[in-house]
Amino acid sequence: MRTERDRVGRASRVAALTLLLLAASCGEDRPDVPETAQDTTPGSIVRDDPRVASIPDDCRNTDPFTGDTADPVAILVRKLTTGDSEVWQRAAEELAAMGDEALPALERKLTDQLYDPAQIYALLNTISAIARIETPRATELLLLAFNHPQPEVRSQVLSALARREIPAEYFDLLAEAATHEIGNAALFAWSAAFRADESRAAALFLDQLEAAPQNGDPEFVGKMLAAVDDAPGLDRIAALHDRLPDRLQPYAEVALYADGRGEYADVLADRLAFGEPKVRSAVLVAAVANDAIGLVVEFDKRESNENLKLLALGELARHTTDAYAQGSIERLEAALDDESPDIRKVALDALIRIGHAGAIDRAISMLGGGRRDLETVLVPLHERMLVDPELTRRVYDRIREQIGDPELSDARRDVHLLQALALCPSEEAAKFVLDVGANAPPDARIEGIRAHRFLAIQASNTGTAGRAYVVRRLEDEHDPLRRIDLVTTIASSRDDLAREALIDLVGRDDLEPWERVYAAQLLARTGPTAVVAPVLKSVANRLEGAPRRAVECLLWYWY
């Protein structure tokens, strides 16, 4: 049952809608509609909106779409040959979700493209798709392109191999690449070789270093040196240390220190206390490469250079839940009172994300400050609120009290507070922000666009609960442009909620055809192909004229 407040709110929205339509019919400012558009029917208002106007109804293929959508794997593999990055990347995501089921078709495509110079870019797309599948069979397919004549292909294959488990049987192949490739490809090859057989990779790497200790990029060689952690390799590093150039010695010392060889503790302490910034930077890079977080903690305690300290704190922020958590957290807590705002921000961000009570209390107090304070704490608070409903309530209440009644709020004046409120993942936040947008004057603009549209974009941040409310709100919204705003918000995440709502919208014959076309475009982007392609074929058959051609163009474009 509607309350009196509900009726008043609805009356104000109807009044705002009436003003909007009157302004349009009188030739006054019509938001987002080109001045040349004269027809003011609801259908033309939707079609002239830039988001809908960009959907073509005169694509190159003028035939009705008759493609077979029964085999999604075939469609997805075919998409990999398109030059449109959005299309092929979505295809690669869906193929990765299918796993080994997709590999036979990918293998056929890979062998067709492998040595055809005209298909080099399509080949890179295919390799990218295979690289997303984390199975032994996918690794075998990547190795088919291992010796490709084009360096960019070899580099992409090696990059993929460096991020996955590699059977030891492939070590010789990777070792050969490590010794012959250059640049990033060499780094990827060494990383993959270490994954395949750490001891043999360390031995080979040290063979090369002993033969030519002065050669190679110092940071590249140094990272590999610091990562050695097997006993024979570390003994060789100790014997080689004095022959290494000065720029490589800190990397060797970190590897030996991390192995518990105490004589190197004083050496590194002297470097951190008295070394030049580039020397101290080398110690930090080596500690990260070696995963020696205890040394990073010590580095942070001693370091005075703000840029280096920021790098160290960033690394500690990644280690707040592992064996080194206590030391990392203590250093981050100390940084909360640093004189540098950038250092305080890094520390606060990291501690909020792990639910640190003191950091959260500090962040809540900053919500009453200015725009800079809000921007400092809202992103990490948003991440934490996604798993902490109690925190969501605290943040919502703190911001809400600063805004006041949504019917009295000035969207342009309170814009930064409304953006902040929309980062609270809840139905309540979505409703409040959209109510402010609905009550804004028809000519109100924020950053050049209609206030309602701007705030609907912000409502995309209110999470699944907020977007579920937007789905329900759509049924009570009759302004055509505001409906498009809400549909955009619903589709802002490619999830089940968006998919189900969009499928419902495209199938509704009672809706204005161009709204259905816009929902069809968003549905194609949401996927997956197996579900969406047959739905869009059915929709095209139920439309007429230009809207039908627009959906057929979407079908040709995506499938």
Side-chain angles (χ1 to χ4, degrees):
M1 177 180 295
R2 294 186 181 276
T3 65
E4 181 62 23
R5 182 182 180 84
D6 292 330
R7 286 193 290 273
V8 172
R10 183 173 177 79
S12 66
R13 290 194 294 275
V14 171
L17 172 58
T18 302
L19 288 172
L20 177 64
L21 294 178
L22 283 172
S25 65
C26 293
E28 297 175 7
D29 181 31
R30 267 177 41 209
D32 300 323
V33 179
E35 292 181 0
T36 55
Q38 300 298 318
D39 187 354
T40 59
T41 63
S44 69
I45 290 175
V46 173
R47 180 53 168 161
D48 288 337
D49 183 279
R51 293 163 290 184
V52 184
S54 64
I55 304 173
D57 58 17
D58 58 350
C59 51
R60 183 174 57 183
N61 197 322
T62 59
D63 297 326
F65 181 81
T66 57
D68 181 7
T69 58
D71 183 359
V73 175
I75 294 173
L76 293 168
V77 171
R78 188 168 63 248
K79 283 186 188 184
L80 297 175
T81 62
T82 181
D84 187 283
S85 61
E86 182 182 21
V87 173
W88 78 255
Q89 287 183 19
R90 295 286 168 80
E93 291 173 9
E94 290 189 36
L95 289 164
M98 294 178 179
D100 279 350
E101 176 189 349
L103 289 179
L106 284 169
E107 181 176 7
R108 290 191 294 272
K109 181 61 69 175
L110 181 69
T111 53
D112 287 344
Q113 298 169 334
L114 204 50
Y115 296 109
D116 183 350
Q119 298 197 65
I120 183 70
Y121 294 109
L123 172 62
L124 291 171
N125 292 351
T126 302
I127 292 171
S128 177
I130 296 171
R132 298 177 191 228
I133 301 175
E134 298 286 343
T135 67
R137 179 59 182 146
T139 301
E140 293 173 4
L141 290 189
L142 288 172
L143 290 166
L144 291 177
F146 189 80
N147 291 316
H148 195 278
Q150 292 294 328
E152 61 264 44
V153 175
R154 299 196 304 275
S155 182
Q156 183 163 331
V157 170
L158 288 166
S159 174
L161 293 173
R163 298 191 300 269
R164 59 204 298 133
E165 295 304 316
I166 307 293
E169 64 192 86
Y170 297 121
F171 173 80
D172 290 336
L173 195 64
L174 295 166
E176 182 179 359
T179 56
H180 289 96
E181 294 287 353
I182 60 174
N184 285 337
L187 177 60
F188 296 145
W190 275 117
S191 298
F194 269 86
R195 280 182 171 273
D197 192 321
E198 186 174 298
S199 295
R200 291 177 66 192
L204 179 63
F205 174 75
L206 290 170
D207 286 345
Q208 291 196 345
L209 195 58
E210 287 171 345
Q214 300 289 337
N215 289 349
D217 174 77
E219 186 168 324
F220 167 69
V221 175
K223 286 179 179 178
M224 301 307 301
L225 188 63
V228 174
D229 62 1
D230 69 302
L234 289 164
D235 288 340
R236 292 178 67 183
I237 289 174
L240 181 63
H241 175 272
D242 293 344
R243 289 180 52 211
L244 290 172
D246 292 345
R247 64 183 185 273
L248 286 182
Q249 286 184 358
Y251 296 93
E253 290 154 6
V254 166
L256 296 165
Y257 167 82
D259 188 52
R261 305 191 186 202
E263 63 269 32
Y264 293 97
D266 291 340
V267 175
L268 287 172
D270 285 344
R271 291 196 185 281
L272 293 180
F274 306 112
E276 294 295 318
K278 67 169 58 176
V279 173
R280 303 200 306 276
S281 176
V283 173
L284 177 59
V285 170
V288 173
N290 188 277
D291 206 24
I293 304 305
L295 183 56
V296 179
V297 169
E298 291 302 312
F299 182 98
D300 173 67
K301 288 179 180 178
R302 300 167 184 262
E303 187 52 54
S304 58
N305 181 285
E306 182 173 333
N307 290 331
L308 292 178
K309 195 172 185 68
L310 283 169
L311 290 174
L313 285 171
E315 184 62 22
L316 294 178
R318 298 195 307 109
H319 290 271
T320 53
T321 57
D322 58 18
Y324 295 96
Q326 188 57 42
S328 295
I329 291 171
E330 288 173 358
R331 294 310 307 154
L332 290 164
E333 287 173 333
L336 287 174
D337 296 315
D338 194 277
E339 62 182 19
S340 164
D342 290 334
I343 287 177
R344 294 198 303 271
K345 184 178 187 303
V346 169
L348 192 62
D349 185 294
L351 291 171
I352 290 170
R353 290 174 191 273
I354 62 170
H356 186 282
I360 287 175
D361 288 342
R362 182 177 296 209
I364 295 291
S365 70
M366 292 172 67
L367 293 175
R371 186 165 192 161
R372 180 167 182 173
D373 281 350
L374 283 171
E375 291 173 349
T376 296
V377 299
L378 278 172
V379 172
L381 280 174
H382 175 69
E383 295 296 321
R384 187 65 193 173
M385 284 189 286
L386 292 173
V387 296
D388 189 342
E390 182 180 346
L391 176 60
T392 301
R393 170 50 57 188
R394 290 179 66 190
V395 174
Y396 179 88
D397 289 344
R398 186 73 178 90
I399 300 172
R400 173 72 175 77
E401 67 186 16
Q402 298 177 65
I403 301 175
D405 193 308
E407 295 186 6
L408 301 177
S409 174
D410 183 329
R412 290 168 291 193
R413 180 197 65 208
D414 298 330
V415 60
H416 69 286
L417 291 171
L418 293 168
Q419 288 176 296
L421 193 73
L423 286 169
C424 298
S426 66
E427 173 180 331
E428 200 171 8
K431 182 180 185 307
F432 188 95
V433 169
L434 289 172
D435 283 349
V436 173
N439 290 322
D443 62 346
R445 293 285 195 278
I446 302 175
E447 297 185 7
I449 62 176
R450 288 178 296 107
H452 185 273
R453 178 179 173 183
F454 181 90
L455 293 174
I457 292 171
Q458 310 312 311
S460 300
N461 295 320
T462 57
T464 303
R467 288 166 50 246
Y469 164 75
V470 178
V471 173
R472 299 193 299 274
R473 186 181 181 111
L474 190 62
E475 292 303 307
D476 295 325
E477 180 59 72
H478 300 293
D479 178 274
L481 294 180
R482 289 182 181 175
R483 284 184 62 84
I484 294 296
D485 298 339
L486 298 181
V487 172
T488 306
T489 301
I490 292 166
S492 59
S493 292
R494 293 164 48 221
D495 56 10
D496 290 342
L497 185 151
R499 187 178 305 105
E500 291 170 7
L502 292 170
I503 288 174
D504 175 67
L505 288 170
V506 299
R508 287 180 52 178
D509 295 330
D510 61 314
L511 293 183
E512 200 279 308
W514 285 110
E515 183 178 337
R516 296 171 69 187
V517 172
Y518 183 59
Q521 181 191 57
L522 298 177
L523 182 59
R525 289 175 169 168
T526 302
T529 296
V531 174
V532 171
V535 170
L536 294 187
K537 281 184 70 175
S538 174
V539 172
N541 292 333
R542 291 160 58 184
L543 292 170
E544 297 178 353
R548 175 171 182 155
R549 284 295 305 140
V551 176
E552 287 177 338
C553 287
L554 287 173
L555 285 161
W556 284 117
Y557 179 75
W558 281 94
Y559 309 115

